[in-house]
Amino acid sequence: MYKVSWLFLIILVNIIVYSSTGYKILVAFPVPSKSHAILGEGMVRHLLEAGHEVTYITPHPKKTAPPNLRQIDASAILQNMTGNPVSLKTLLRKEVDLRDTSFFHKILEKMNNAIFTNKNILKLLNDPNEQFDLFLGEWFFTELLSGFAAVFQCPYIWVSTVEPHWQITRFIDESLNPSYNSDILSTNSVPLSFYERVEELITQVKLTAMEKMYLNEKDEKTYTDIIGPLVAARGRTLPPYSDLIYNVSLILGNSHVSMGEATRLPQNYKPVGGYHIDANLTPLPEDLKKLLNEAKNGVIYFSMGSSLKSVDMPDDFKTGLLKLFGELKQTVIWKFEESLTNVPSNVHLVQWAPQQSILAHSNCILFITHGGLLSTTETIHFGKPIIGIPGFGDQFINVNRMVKKGFGVKVDLTFSLVEDLKLAIAEILSNPRYTKKVRELSLIYHDRPVPPGKELVHWVEHVIRTGGAPHLRSPALHVPFWQKLYLDLLVVIIVVLYATKILLSRLFRLIFGKGQLNKKKYQ
Ligand SMILES: *[C@@H]1O[C@H](CO)[C@@H](O)[C@H](O)[C@H]1NC(C)=O
């Protein structure tokens, strides 16, 4: 009897595990940055939990992987991208500006080269036995990864790690209207002033022209040279690049209306922001737990994320910050990669910290950060007010948005950082409106029909089950811009008006021509 029930249990577990249709999914998050890797790992985690078999291309492979995960080690991309010029030091001295498009495109080109010459990636693409039901990749200012879908002849999904923006929506619908949607690297947040509106329009026109003139050509060459032979080896003809890039089935956005704007979105754009946060939080280490539990006046958590290292800080910043924190009655946890001397008793430097678990603690009352989207998401998830010190990328628009929404204060990354930060801390600690606002947004954030992880799994499976979800595609995709703007109608109206004018004047002359001559005579 005992044995039989065990057998029954084993069979039951097997049925539960294997009855769900496990699909073979290829996931690629090749951007060599920790925060992008966190978003990739979140996707993979949910897909694995849903019983799918995942092959994951990543520059940050883990030492151990669960059985239904195969990692493709793309860490060589990291080596190819060394000399990464973005650091606290270079930003402070204004040596780099990622909003400088030509500089940014050089970095992108370097990254694409690194991806498409990577041995392990090419090995996967070259293997004729490899088959996938879906390709899911991060869109990072290039569509080249869609070539993977051409190789495996499967539908594909883009993951956008940021708020919805025109550069990505145009592949499934159309560019977002620049008069109320900012470019992702812009600092303008809505509502836009006249000047900002014009600026946004110029950005869209300028970038589109640059792409048409030379950027697309470069990508297309890589596509033909590298993906072409791979598709040919599988006995197929290469689909035109310009068809492939508009053939994306769905976009999963790492965004949510509580954090961004209520942007109008096409049916196949699904915002699933917050999916990277695991419901089972990493437990706090004992010392941090004790610290947080015993902080009578609350805890301020200070971390500039993974790309801007505190090590690069000028020395007077470090001493200035220590002095500033030491004067506070709150406990300060500072994520810092080195040790300092003369650390005040209320300040605790940690090399590594489970950020989410700290923010989740009821005694954590303020988060000071660079304002990357992951940190922004986490503050809203856990309902903590924020001081944003933006450095690059979408951090500017994120922080500007926090300020406009009213749950954060912005401090610029300049040499007067310490003084500015002092004022910002005083403002947030003395004014309860920031905490009140972030709690309101947190309620909106959590009030969804299904958690984001469940939702993304549903849409991924939906795309596979429906052969690429063509029913979700927007008809706008096939309407040229001159038809949308009714420029053809405008031409018709102009022609008709002009013809009428000529006709009328001829008629006029015909009828009154003589009379007018007569009139002249008698004047
Ligand atoms: C577009 O996607 C569908 C569904 O995945 C596929 O059948 C078709 O071949 C794709 N077309 C191109 C040009 O890639």
Side-chain angles (χ1 to χ4, degrees), residues 240-254:
Y241 191 54
S242 51
D243 287 352
L244 181 67
I245 60 177
Y246 291 101
N247 201 29
V248 55
S249 295
L250 191 95
I251 295 174
L252 292 169
N254 176 38

Side-chain angles (χ1 to χ4, degrees), residues 24-25 127-133 151-153 234 236:
K24 291 185 74 169
I25 301 173
D127 188 341
N129 297 321
E130 295 288 355
Q131 289 299 338
F132 295 100
D133 297 306
V151 172
F152 300 112
Q153 208 178 18
R234 288 178 176 242
R236 282 184 270 115

